[in-house]
């Protein structure tokens, strides 16, 4: 069974990073949210809360998609990777390791 590594040639086949899908989704949601927000609301006033919730959901979804894209692009795949990154940052700043509760 072949092991897939993103962005590298594996057994002669180039595997493309998939983080651009997340970035495209984020840009699309953000654009849709901005256009919907700028268009305003014309219609029955009873549906205004639904429209506000829909626009807010587009902005939250865009932020979530952008966050996933940045994590995937940076190579962070698990919580252990994030812990190691935090430890490396603290070490580079010259800070002592945090005390662990036992």
């Amino acid at each position: 069974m072949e092991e897939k590594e993103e962005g590298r040639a594996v057994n002669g086949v180039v595997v493309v990073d998939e983080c651009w899908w997340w970035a495209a989704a984020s840009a699309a949601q953000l654009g849709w949210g901005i256009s919907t927000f700028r268009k305003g609301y014309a219609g029955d006033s009873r549906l205004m809360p639904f429209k506000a919730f829909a626009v807010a959901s587009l902005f939250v979804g865009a932020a979530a998609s952008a966050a996933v894209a940045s994590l995937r692009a940076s190579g962070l795949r698990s919580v252990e990777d994030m812990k190691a990154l935090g430890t490396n940052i603290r070490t580079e700043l010259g800070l002592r390791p945090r005390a662990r509760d036992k």
Side-chain angles (χ1 to χ4, degrees):
M1 188 168 146
E2 294 180 13
E3 182 178 331
K4 286 188 176 182
E5 295 182 26
E6 294 183 15
R8 299 181 187 168
V10 178
N11 295 333
V13 178
V14 176
V15 180
V16 180
D17 287 332
E18 296 179 7
C19 62
W20 69 273
W21 280 105
W22 289 99
S26 176
Q29 284 181 324
L30 185 62
W32 191 14
I34 289 172
S35 70
T36 306
F37 178 74
R38 293 192 71 183
K39 191 184 307 181
Y41 186 75
D44 192 4
S45 64
R46 292 176 288 174
L47 296 177
M48 184 57 198
F50 174 73
K51 171 83 182 247
F53 179 77
V55 171
S57 296
L58 285 171
F59 286 120
V60 170
S65 296
V68 169
S70 65
L71 287 175
R72 290 190 60 82
S74 67
L76 297 175
R77 301 284 188 255
S78 66
V79 174
E80 286 75 24
D81 291 342
M82 291 183 204
K83 287 181 182 178
L85 177 65
T87 301
N88 290 341
I89 290 171
R90 289 185 66 82
T91 302
E92 290 296 321
L93 291 174
L95 301 173
R96 293 181 293 160
R98 292 184 177 205
R100 302 279 182 206
D101 293 333
K102 294 182 181 183

